[in-house]
Amino acid sequence: MSGIAGRIRLVTGDITTLDVQAVVTAANKGLRGGGGVDGAVHRAAGPELLHACRAVAPCPTGQSRLTPGLALAADWVIHTVGPIYRDGNSGEAELLASAYWTALALAVEHSIDGVAFPCISTGVYGYPADAACDIAIESVHRWVQTSNLPRVIIFCCFGDADFQRYESRLRQVGLLSEA
Ligand code: AR6
């Protein structure tokens, strides 16, 4: 499926299998690897990714760092640190928006044409899925209105519940139509 000007896309599955120039991983501040999508990205990229991470760590919450993709099909990994959800009144929304925004800014800085995002902060970090989905879509929507790059931005959902949540929200805001 594609959205306005074909720039916003929605897929379901393992982000490490996507043929896209950069994949975003939901990292921790130390860029030490971990579970969830970060574990999958580190496994697929290989142990050298941890060495590459050491060179650019730490990464404060809401910020992003770039490393090569190594054994991944993707050329690059953008390591983005989303907020740990506490009570919703601790700046989480701004930090989550910043996580998306700084990842996109890094992509532009390195002339990266296509980027795939997982649902940052919604696993171990406990961000409520509906609220996180709204912030993800709003951030990307604002971005495509002001920048021509990346040309393609993919939301990669891991499972049907997130896919349906994104599909319905993207349709509501007019960002998704049948390809
Ligand atoms: N492809 C795409 N999405 C995935 C994959 C995958 N292979 N695996 C999981 N997800 P999480 P967080 C989804 O916990 O909440 C790590 O230990 C998952 O279903 O990976 O930001 C880091 O090192 C969920 O929707 O990230 C940090 O310490 C989403 O990815 C911490 O977890 C995010 O879940 C970050 O926690």
Side-chain angles (χ1 to χ4, degrees):
M1 286 181 209
S2 59
I4 283 175
R7 286 183 71 190
I8 296 177
R9 297 182 188 169
L10 178 63
V11 302
T12 182
D14 180 358
I15 202 167
T16 66
T17 65
L18 296 183
D19 186 11
V20 62
Q21 206 181 353
V23 296
V24 177
T25 184
N28 50 65
K29 290 193 274 188
L31 305 185
R32 294 180 307 274
V37 66
D38 208 23
V41 165
H42 276 263
R43 276 193 301 279
E48 285 299 313
L49 187 60
L50 217 44
H51 296 291
C53 281
R54 285 197 196 109
V56 294
C59 180
T61 304
Q63 299 296 308
S64 301
R65 299 284 187 264
L66 186 79
T67 67
L70 302 164
L72 284 168
D75 295 334
W76 303 102
V77 178
I78 299 175
H79 306 257
T80 297
V81 182
I84 298 171
Y85 190 84
R86 297 187 201 289
D87 53 9
N89 295 312
S90 306
E92 294 97 330
E94 292 76 13
L95 288 167
L96 186 58
S98 170
Y100 281 91
W101 201 259
T102 57
L104 290 164
L106 258 188
V108 170
E109 199 182 313
H110 294 270
S111 304
I112 291 169
D113 201 43
V115 172
F117 282 97
C119 307
I120 297 168
S121 281
T122 63
V124 176
Y125 281 2
Y127 212 110
D130 281 331
C133 169
D134 285 354
I135 291 168
I137 290 173
E138 193 187 306
S139 303
V140 167
H141 192 189
R142 276 198 295 131
W143 189 271
V144 297
Q145 287 170 323
T146 55
S147 175
N148 292 327
L149 273 178
R151 198 174 41 84
V152 174
I153 301 170
I154 300 170
F155 291 116
C156 178
C157 295
F158 201 56
D160 287 347
D162 273 324
F163 184 83
Q164 279 161 23
R165 189 185 332 277
Y166 271 72
E167 187 178 38
S168 132
R169 191 72 185 128
L170 283 166
R171 275 195 206 292
Q172 262 175 27
V173 296
L175 287 176
L176 200 65
S177 56
E178 300 303 326

